[in-house]
Amino acid sequence: MPQPPALNGFALASLLAGLLCFPPLGIAFGIAALVQIAKKGDRGKVLAITGLVVSVLMTGVMVFAVGRLAQMAPGRFDGLTDYSEVEGELRDIDDLKAGDCFNVPGGDLFDEHPLMYAVDCSRVHHGEVTASRTVGAAEAPGAEEADRASEDACWKAQDEYAMDTWALPEFAEMFYYAPSRQSWREGDRRLLCVIGTTEEEWRGSLRRDAGMLKPEQAAFLRAANGVEFVLSRPPGEDVEDALPEHQAWAREMHAALGEQAKVLQQDATRPGLEKAVAAQLKEIEAARAAWQRASQARTGAEFDRLWDRALAAMSLETEKALRGAYGLSTQVPRWLEDGSDSTQDPEVGSARLRSAEPV
């Protein structure tokens, strides 16, 4: 009986090369198979066409992948260069804790996911960790107010870590690193709060928490920082468009100043504090009265006038004298001096004294 035509070897080779080896070679084998089948009548035309199609598709995938790799290569090489230039020991962000100091490539703390190299705080460093904690579902990326919650948490952590805010270097800034949408899906739940000191060379720890202060100093600073925090967080909308929110904020200011007054009243007879405490309490009383009236304002214009009055009631000189009496820093921070010149405009004044540098 007549023998069936032989299976063309190039047809099979085309499919195998396209799937397992080198797709461009599979294209060549597929074309060669179709030519030979047409001339010799070999079997395998469907196999050759399949191998040719698969090889073309895989070649396209390979070209795309090579292109992406070429785009990413410069960044990869830069990372290797940074690895050799940064002082310290490379650490995962989850391994850093409060009190750790670190460096980053190029001193760029604005990088979303910087490489962090732990270094002793006595050596020049770019950042110091004030807090590291796990965030909950309410702070998931994309959740309402998630960024604000992370920012607020890190401001509060910094105020507890370096309580005497006037003693911080003027170039020190707050940074935080929160999970991104992608890292959250991969299980990332770490919030890292940092004091950045990249503008100038800095050695030494900035830590000055309650354990390093006298009890009366810590109590005063905790209350003063509480007032400062609320003051720096007015509603984002214009007062004309969000009067109820501004009224609620005024009530928060009234309460925060009340807490500060309670602390000062306990120290009113402490030797060396009598005069300074009395002066501050007098100003607090006037400011609280203005904030209370602002919480009941009927119009935005009335709220603005009372806001101005409340800010004007508190003077830097009185606070400077009080801090000196407590044995704290009396160097008025530049950001506070700049804000004190703008009390006539509530949108630019003391309520905008502190702004985070989130990454």
Side-chain angles (χ1 to χ4, degrees):
M1 295 180 63
Q3 296 294 322
L7 177 65
N8 189 276
F10 280 116
L12 180 59
S14 174
L15 181 60
L16 294 176
L19 286 174
L20 306 175
C21 184
F22 187 61
L25 187 60
I27 295 175
F29 287 161
I31 294 173
L34 291 175
V35 171
Q36 289 187 359
I37 289 171
K39 288 183 178 181
K40 300 180 180 179
D42 291 345
R43 289 185 298 113
K45 182 176 182 180
V46 174
L47 185 62
I49 294 174
T50 302
L52 183 59
V53 171
V54 169
S55 296
V56 170
L57 292 175
M58 294 302 293
T59 299
V61 172
M62 184 180 72
V63 170
F64 175 78
V66 170
R68 290 289 295 173
L69 182 61
Q71 292 177 355
M72 295 170 61
R76 296 291 186 183
F77 290 131
D78 289 343
L80 291 176
T81 302
D82 292 337
Y83 185 89
S84 62
E85 293 179 351
V86 181
E87 181 180 1
E89 178 185 353
L90 184 62
R91 291 277 185 85
D92 187 271
I93 191 171
D94 290 341
D95 296 331
L96 294 173
K97 61 183 183 301
D100 287 344
C101 295
F102 64 90
N103 289 315
V104 295
D108 184 11
L109 289 171
F110 285 97
D111 188 349
E112 186 175 357
H113 299 290
L115 298 175
M116 295 183 173
Y117 297 79
V119 66
D120 192 276
C121 291
S122 62
R123 307 175 76 171
V124 175
H125 54 271
H126 297 140
E128 184 171 349
V129 179
T130 60
S132 176
R133 68 178 183 85
T134 302
V135 299
E139 297 170 273
E144 186 177 0
E145 297 295 329
D147 288 342
R148 183 64 172 260
S150 296
E151 182 180 331
D152 287 355
C154 285
W155 271 127
K156 292 177 180 179
Q158 180 166 308
D159 285 346
E160 284 295 315
Y161 186 88
M163 298 189 75
D164 190 355
T165 58
W166 286 28
L168 287 172
E170 64 179 22
F171 53 86
E173 297 178 291
M174 191 277 281
F175 292 81
Y176 68 87
Y177 299 87
S180 64
R181 291 177 183 269
Q182 180 178 348
S183 67
W184 183 272
R185 289 193 294 268
E186 296 171 353
D188 180 18
R189 300 292 185 273
R190 180 63 52 184
L191 173 66
L192 193 75
C193 306
V194 170
I195 301 178
T197 52
T198 59
E199 295 300 317
E200 297 184 20
E201 287 192 354
W202 180 258
R203 293 179 176 85
S205 174
L206 293 169
R207 188 170 202 159
R208 200 178 182 196
D209 57 20
M212 304 170 70
L213 298 166
K214 296 177 181 178
E216 63 271 19
Q217 291 176 323
F220 164 72
L221 288 173
R222 187 170 286 116
N225 290 342
V227 172
E228 183 181 302
F229 178 81
V230 177
L231 185 60
S232 68
R233 289 294 186 269
E237 302 84 357
D238 186 81
V239 65
E240 295 289 351
D241 301 325
L243 182 57
E245 288 79 1
H246 282 76
Q247 291 173 329
W249 175 59
R251 288 191 290 271
E252 291 181 26
M253 280 300 307
H254 182 270
L257 286 168
E259 291 301 316
Q260 186 178 17
K262 290 179 183 178
V263 171
L264 292 176
Q265 287 165 356
Q266 294 174 358
D267 293 337
T269 59
R270 190 181 294 274
L273 290 173
E274 303 95 327
K275 183 177 179 180
V277 166
Q280 185 78 344
L281 282 172
K282 183 177 180 179
E283 292 188 357
I284 289 176
E285 182 180 358
R288 292 190 76 207
W291 284 117
Q292 185 175 29
R293 292 184 60 190
S295 70
Q296 302 168 354
R298 297 181 179 180
T299 66
E302 182 184 1
F303 186 94
D304 281 344
R305 287 194 301 271
L306 292 166
W307 185 350
D308 287 343
R309 187 178 301 175
L311 295 179
M314 306 284 290
S315 72
L316 282 178
E317 288 304 316
T318 301
E319 184 173 0
K320 181 177 178 180
L322 180 63
R323 285 175 175 265
Y326 271 106
L328 302 169
S329 173
T330 58
Q331 180 64 45
V332 180
R334 185 174 62 183
W335 51 263
L336 190 53
E337 288 182 327
D338 293 344
S340 65
D341 296 332
S342 308
T343 55
Q344 294 304 311
D345 183 357
E347 292 300 318
V348 183
S350 297
R352 295 289 190 264
L353 290 179
R354 292 167 50 172
S355 58
E357 299 290 349
V359 178

